[in-house]
Amino acid sequence: MTTSTLNPLRAGLRLPRTPDACALVVFGATGDLTARKLVPALYNLARERLLPGGFSVVGFARRGWSDEQFRAAMKDAVAKFSREPLQDDIWESFARSLHYVSSDFGDMPGYERLGERLKKEDSAHGAGGNRLFYLATPPTAYAEIAHHLGEANLSRSPSGGWARLVVEKPFGRDLESAKKLDQSLGLVFRERQIYRIDHYLGKETVQNILVFRFGNGIFEPIWNRRYVNDVQVSVAETVGVEGRGGYYEESGALRDMVQNHLMQVLALVAMEPVASLHGDGVRDEKAKVFRAMLPVGDVGRATVRAQYRAGAILGQQVPGYREEDGVSPASEIETYVALKLMIENWRWADVPFYLRVGKRLPKRATEVVITFKKPPLQLFREMGGDNIDPAANLLVLRIQPDEGISLRFGAKVPGTRSDVRPVNMDFRYGSSFGVEPPEAYERLLLDAMLGDSTLFTRWDSVEASWELLTPVLDAWLQGASPLRFYDAGTWGPDEARRLVEQDGREWHRM
Ligand code: BG6
């Protein structure tokens, strides 16, 4: 018998993943996130029969809707945003589990009505008192909602069931506000009840970083400072602020993407192996990575921030950030960030990690690029023609779109000379698996119902990430790294190029 069949934890990973009966309460049920992501994800879970019997959704929001109005709005949302087309029979049976409670978030009687509704669900469907509260609201409402859930005795489930709270980003806007928010949630919920969602962790390709590193024997031995020259995590978006100018003015790219999504991806790339995927192993190792990061130090030299001006993307004229709705014409908010981080541990000392993210760039692409060191003797340097470094070994993890992994190495050009040219070994999810991956929210909602918090962010990581980035925000306010500008449809400001060039590196061409 092999070790894996003896090990109940590992064997458990293959058990069917159907949660216990439960009720999902969505605060902010009439909002964008519910319509675009949450309900389409639930519909797809229902379609794949992954929701438990006795599952129900209770939407909670201010608008005076009935159950029927909520169902009709959600049907439209699924028709518009679901990855699989709306199918009437599946919809009809799913829609029966949708309910609605209309209330202000600060209105106690609303929470009492919610409690009554949940009791009804418990007795009608045997939901066993299991509740998942999802905060799909502006973050300013989080503390108030948590407080009222506590007052209404909803934060501890009756009858031995569970109560969990799912919190969307942003989790605070700097270290101090994140701590304050954590404290107010902590008055009502214990850490193990809190699921901080980062939808990048629900992406198949992001989860595959761990499989790639630790499910294969050949990459881990070279995944360290002896062999790796630098690591780049890049997120390029073609979209602008998509009507969210008001939110973005309070946020900017560092808070919107770097503090959460990019730092989480970086932690998966840099963390040590775990002994088991169960329990807190992955989150412990990620937290250690954050703790080993050096403070950014010289913010002027190690960070670049910029904002897009008007320009053209894919042949279409688009306005500059300052002309977007809800944005001040004198806004100093960054829509592009590039920065360099160092991890001071045994594995990574002296290896720079470069992060960059920007809106209105020429194409949509998210990737992690590991550049390996050159061979000790460059025998073929003279034969690379115009290529500076024909044999540079790059490993590119393409997170989205065109999901896949490619490894670049130098190969001999056929012919009587010994010319060398870079070529790629390529893996594509599409052609290898032929199925479309589920949406991140499908996986994450299911995990939250199952009580598996591996793919959710623990407080210590959030805190460590803010500890690192809050001084950057402060230094920016004091004028370090002045705001630069780039035309929409270009790859960002020249200073970003210089950030890596000053270390003798270059950004990978996406
Ligand atoms: C969100 C940000 O968290 O992630 C958006 O608030 C951004 O500004 C989005 O556009 C990107 O997500 P994805 O899954 O499209 O890469």
Side-chain angles (χ1 to χ4, degrees), residues 128-341:
N130 296 329
R131 281 109 203 237
L132 187 63
F133 299 107
Y134 199 115
L135 304 187
T137 65
T140 42
Y142 293 172
E144 183 177 42
I145 294 172
H147 171 75
H148 283 95
L149 284 172
E151 291 281 286
N153 277 328
L154 291 170
S155 57
R156 303 271 181 274
S157 176
S159 54
W162 46 259
R164 296 179 190 135
L165 182 74
V166 183
V167 190
E168 271 287 334
K169 70 164 248 277
F171 199 85
R173 58 187 326 276
D174 54 18
L175 181 59
E176 200 191 329
S177 56
K179 276 187 177 160
K180 224 166 119 196
L181 174 58
D182 183 61
Q183 278 156 10
S184 17
L185 300 186
L187 294 175
V188 186
F189 291 92
R190 300 200 176 95
E191 174 64 24
R192 62 176 170 73
Q193 290 178 284
I194 302 175
Y195 288 65
R196 292 176 202 82
I197 212 160
D198 185 310
H199 80 278
Y200 266 57
L201 295 177
K203 290 182 191 280
E204 284 284 326
T205 42
V206 171
Q207 291 163 42
N208 193 47
I209 295 174
L210 292 189
V211 178
F212 183 79
R213 290 188 55 196
F214 305 133
N216 296 291
I218 61 174
F219 303 109
E220 207 41 34
I222 54 167
W223 207 265
N224 57 56
R225 65 191 301 279
R226 266 188 83 181
Y227 300 98
V228 174
N229 190 52
D230 64 79
V231 177
Q232 300 182 2
V233 181
S234 301
V235 180
E237 294 190 280
T238 51
V239 292
V241 285
E242 297 182 292
R244 296 189 307 156
Y247 154 77
Y248 210 79
E249 280 285 274
E250 292 297 314
S251 156
L254 191 95
R255 291 188 173 97
D256 185 46
M257 297 288 286
V258 178
Q259 185 272 335
N260 34 70
H261 307 325
L262 275 83
M263 293 293 273
Q264 288 298 319
V265 171
L266 187 158
L268 292 176
V269 172
M271 67 181 245
E272 296 300 316
V274 287
S276 154
L277 291 171
H278 281 261
D280 259 340
V282 172
R283 304 202 301 174
D284 287 344
E285 292 307 330
K286 284 194 329 195
K288 284 190 210 159
V289 172
F290 293 126
R291 283 199 291 270
M293 280 181 190
L294 289 178
V296 174
D298 186 347
V299 172
R301 198 175 152 81
T303 73
V304 173
R305 62 193 194 103
Q307 189 187 81
Y308 64 81
R309 285 189 292 235
I313 293 191
L314 306 170
Q316 277 230 311
Q317 280 301 317
V318 295
Y321 175 69
R322 289 179 176 177
E323 287 122 50
E324 303 270 11
D325 279 350
V327 172
S328 151
S331 174
E332 288 281 305
I333 286 296
E334 80 288 354
T335 58
Y336 179 102
V337 177
L339 80 161
K340 170 180 163 182
L341 294 172

Side-chain angles (χ1 to χ4, degrees), residues 236-483:
E237 294 190 280
T238 51
V239 292
V241 285
E242 297 182 292
R244 296 189 307 156
Y247 154 77
Y248 210 79
E249 280 285 274
E250 292 297 314
S251 156
L254 191 95
R255 291 188 173 97
D256 185 46
M257 297 288 286
V258 178
Q259 185 272 335
N260 34 70
H261 307 325
L262 275 83
M263 293 293 273
Q264 288 298 319
V265 171
L266 187 158
L268 292 176
V269 172
M271 67 181 245
E272 296 300 316
V274 287
S276 154
L277 291 171
H278 281 261
D280 259 340
V282 172
R283 304 202 301 174
D284 287 344
E285 292 307 330
K286 284 194 329 195
K288 284 190 210 159
V289 172
F290 293 126
R291 283 199 291 270
M293 280 181 190
L294 289 178
V296 174
D298 186 347
V299 172
R301 198 175 152 81
T303 73
V304 173
R305 62 193 194 103
Q307 189 187 81
Y308 64 81
R309 285 189 292 235
I313 293 191
L314 306 170
Q316 277 230 311
Q317 280 301 317
V318 295
Y321 175 69
R322 289 179 176 177
E323 287 122 50
E324 303 270 11
D325 279 350
V327 172
S328 151
S331 174
E332 288 281 305
I333 286 296
E334 80 288 354
T335 58
Y336 179 102
V337 177
L339 80 161
K340 170 180 163 182
L341 294 172
M342 301 297 291
I343 302 173
E344 190 77 334
N345 64 14
W346 200 259
R347 186 190 285 262
W348 294 118
D350 301 327
V351 177
F353 284 73
Y354 301 104
L355 310 185
R356 68 178 157 160
V357 56
K359 293 202 181 283
R360 291 292 192 214
L361 299 187
K363 73 188 240 202
R364 174 173 181 254
T366 297
E367 61 176 36
V368 176
V369 180
I370 320 278
T371 303
F372 292 95
K373 289 191 168 154
K374 294 184 180 133
L377 190 62
Q378 296 193 40
L379 286 177
F380 305 101
R381 180 173 258 292
E382 300 305 309
M383 293 137 191
D386 289 338
N387 294 311
I388 305 165
D389 187 11
N393 295 138
L394 291 184
L395 181 73
V396 182
L397 311 178
R398 292 190 305 277
I399 305 293
Q400 66 190 21
D402 184 24
E403 291 83 356
I405 296 177
S406 54
L407 179 65
R408 188 169 87 174
F409 55 93
K412 182 182 172 307
V413 179
T416 50
R417 302 186 331 168
S418 289
D419 287 350
V420 178
R421 220 173 55 201
V423 294
N424 283 319
M425 276 201 301
D426 219 5
F427 150 67
R428 281 161 198 269
Y429 279 80
S431 44
S432 294
F433 294 113
V435 289
E436 204 183 312
E439 279 272 329
Y441 276 94
E442 295 173 35
R443 169 71 194 258
L444 294 173
L445 281 166
L446 198 62
D447 278 6
M449 288 182 227
L450 285 159
D452 183 347
S453 53
T454 310
L455 298 180
F456 294 82
T457 319
R458 208 169 54 189
W459 165 245
D460 53 353
S461 282
V462 176
E463 185 181 29
S465 158
W466 277 127
E467 265 167 10
L468 193 84
L469 296 174
T470 303
V472 174
L473 289 165
D474 291 346
W476 283 358
L477 271 183
Q478 279 149 32
S481 188
L483 184 71

